[in-house]
Amino acid sequence: MKKLGFGLMRLPQLDAADPKSIDIEQVKKMVDIFMEKGFTYFDTAWMYHGFASEKAVKEVLVDRYPRESYTLATKLHAMFLKTPEDMDEIFNAQLENTGVEYFDYYLLHGLIKGSYGKMEKYDAFSWAMDKKEKGLVKSVGISFHDNAALLDEILTKHPEIEFVQIQLNYLDWDSEWIQSRKCYEVCEKHGKPVVVMEPVKGGTLASVPEQAEELLKAAEPDLSIPSWAVRFAASLDNVMMVLSGMSSLEQMQDNVSYMEEFQPLTDEENELCFKVAEIINSQIAVPCTACSYCTDGCPKQIPIPQYFSLYNELMREDLEQKGWTASFNSYNYLAKKSAKASECIGCGQCEAMCPQHLQIVELLKDVAERFENN
């Protein structure tokens, strides 16, 4: 199985402000390219694209290709569970949404300390293994967003888990919060293959500072900047799959071009990635990956990831010299369609969901100060 997986969390949209407005025709073309090049792994989840991703899977993949020609992963997140019975209700809806009779990979989704406690309370691990025994799931795993110590605890208590999905990229390799390396090493210790999410950190590693880009282009002039991030993750021995949340035909074509006949990075190339990480870390303001977990329950429907992206762009600009940038127009456009950053009521639900453990409420105050007082 080739190591590139199609992550269905950042699909192209007809309306940037409406996550449900998936550009189905473009995604069909992307799926066709992916399949023609021999890639087979598709990753979705109950909540992606405003709960529209799984239904899109049926239209772009399941209705168009034989079931044995691809593998499909989806997930169950604790935030949607109010009673143990909700697990069956959601699972049955997922089968209906996607149009399949079984899932190749099924994950207990986004485990952190709090959600892990709920999964234990509802006996979700045994529930998932029961689905496997009944032939409705072929392989049971977890996706994880906490520290290595908790991951070690979970895998020690639940050796039945067959694989682990973690955030892993060269920027987060030694991060105090994400702990990519430490979590990867825990998976190795327990003999669990790794599925990588966020290899490009929500696009952060696709558009790097000019100094970093010059280093990468000097080493490999013909390869794209994001290719370094995907190949870094895929080069690790215990990684079985690297998910890329592709949102355009161009991204798909680029990814398959270097992953079709994948060559692992050399030691020297790995070191170059870490040099780039040092440059990026010295400039990034908000390490948001635009996963949008924070937005689903936002009572004010604030487009948090988009605002953080604009804020990061703005912080890289020389405002004293320019005085104004296009980021201000983009912010005003979004604010008219949804809500301003200053409209945050500080409820904190976004922070409870954030895989990056960001202090979103305070950061939105920074965003408002920059964009609304100029």
Side-chain angles (χ1 to χ4, degrees):
M1 185 166 58
K2 294 185 177 181
K3 278 192 172 185
L4 178 66
F6 191 169
L8 303 164
M9 186 173 77
R10 297 186 178 93
L11 297 172
Q13 296 174 195
L14 298 173
D15 179 354
D18 179 9
K20 294 184 179 181
S21 66
I22 298 170
D23 186 344
I24 293 294
E25 294 308 310
Q26 184 174 177
V27 178
K28 284 181 180 178
K29 294 176 183 177
M30 295 167 70
V31 168
D32 292 343
I33 293 171
F34 192 72
M35 295 289 283
E36 286 168 8
K37 295 296 185 178
F39 300 94
T40 61
Y41 192 105
F42 294 82
D43 173 270
T44 184
W46 173 246
M47 62 210 275
Y48 289 173
H49 274 280
F51 302 91
S53 178
E54 289 180 338
K55 293 178 181 178
V57 168
K58 183 178 188 300
E59 193 169 352
V60 303
L61 176 68
V62 177
D63 289 346
R64 301 173 63 238
Y65 285 91
R67 182 64 183 90
E68 66 276 9
S69 66
Y70 59 86
T71 56
L72 180 61
T74 194
K75 314 177 188 77
L76 176 72
H77 202 293
M79 74 175 294
F80 303 107
L81 304 179
K82 305 302 181 186
T83 69
E85 290 72 29
D86 290 339
M87 294 189 291
D88 273 334
E89 184 177 336
I90 291 174
F91 185 85
N92 292 334
Q94 289 178 304
L95 289 173
E96 182 178 353
N97 285 345
T98 57
V100 298
E101 295 180 350
Y102 66 90
F103 296 112
D104 300 277
Y105 302 94
Y106 198 81
L107 299 90
L108 301 182
H109 189 189
L111 293 191
I112 57 176
K113 186 174 183 180
S115 61
Y116 171 54
K118 182 183 281 191
M119 291 295 192
E120 288 285 26
K121 177 181 177 181
Y122 291 164
D123 200 18
F125 290 86
S126 296
W127 171 87
M129 295 309 295
D130 180 65
K131 296 301 180 191
K132 181 179 178 180
E133 291 175 9
K134 292 177 178 176
L136 298 172
V137 170
K138 289 192 173 182
S139 186
V140 175
I142 61 172
S143 72
F144 184 78
H145 284 291
D146 212 310
N147 61 54
L150 180 61
L151 180 58
D152 190 34
E153 177 185 333
I154 294 173
L155 295 181
T156 298
K157 186 171 183 179
H158 293 284
E160 70 272 21
I161 290 300
E162 296 167 274
F163 67 99
V164 180
Q165 186 165 308
I166 61 173
Q167 179 169 321
L168 189 155
N169 55 69
Y170 64 75
L171 191 61
D172 292 324
W173 188 243
D174 287 312
S175 163
E176 176 185 356
W177 296 106
I178 307 303
Q179 299 187 356
S180 289
R181 176 179 57 81
K182 290 181 178 179
C183 287
Y184 174 78
E185 289 171 351
V186 168
C187 293
E188 281 192 308
K189 169 186 170 182
H190 288 271
K192 308 301 180 185
V194 169
V195 174
V196 171
M197 56 183 158
E198 303 291 359
V200 192
K201 200 170 173 67
T204 297
L205 303 182
S207 180
V208 299
E210 184 177 351
Q211 179 187 357
E213 182 173 353
E214 289 174 356
L215 288 175
L216 297 178
K217 284 298 183 181
E220 290 283 359
D222 297 328
L223 287 176
S224 68
I225 300 304
S227 74
W228 285 85
V230 175
R231 291 184 300 129
F232 172 86
S235 296
L236 294 163
D237 292 337
N238 196 42
V239 166
M240 77 175 203
M241 188 61 56
V242 179
L243 303 177
S244 178
M246 294 171 271
S247 54
S248 69
L249 274 169
E250 292 75 19
Q251 290 177 11
M252 174 64 75
Q253 290 164 339
D254 180 49
N255 278 346
V256 299
S257 70
Y258 58 81
M259 288 300 290
E260 186 176 8
E261 301 294 337
F262 171 67
Q263 295 294 323
L265 296 184
T266 64
D267 290 342
E268 291 77 12
E269 289 171 327
N270 269 320
E271 286 303 313
L272 186 55
C273 287
F274 293 134
K275 289 180 182 178
V276 169
E278 291 178 5
I279 296 171
I280 297 172
N281 278 323
S282 71
Q283 297 186 22
I284 194 167
V286 182
C288 171
T289 67
C291 70
S292 295
Y293 290 4
C294 58
T295 60
D296 288 329
C298 177
K300 303 299 288 186
Q301 296 185 317
I302 298 172
I304 299 168
Q306 290 95 322
Y307 284 168
F308 285 166
S309 177
L310 291 172
Y311 183 71
N312 281 335
E313 289 179 15
L314 195 68
M315 296 303 284
R316 287 196 294 265
E317 298 280 357
D318 184 350
L319 293 183
E320 290 188 5
Q321 180 179 1
K322 292 188 174 182
W324 175 93
T325 78
S327 298
F328 286 98
N329 271 357
S330 298
Y331 179 86
N332 291 333
Y333 171 78
L334 281 171
K336 287 179 182 178
K337 297 190 69 173
S338 47
K340 297 179 180 178
S342 60
E343 293 180 58
C344 171
I345 60 175
C347 68
Q349 77 82 30
C350 52
E351 295 184 359
M353 289 299 301
C354 179
Q356 312 305 316
H357 311 288
L358 299 177
Q359 294 182 328
I360 295 174
V361 173
E362 290 301 315
L363 287 168
L364 284 175
K365 293 178 182 177
D366 295 338
V367 172
E369 177 66 26
R370 280 285 180 173
F371 284 102
E372 298 176 26
N373 296 320
N374 286 280

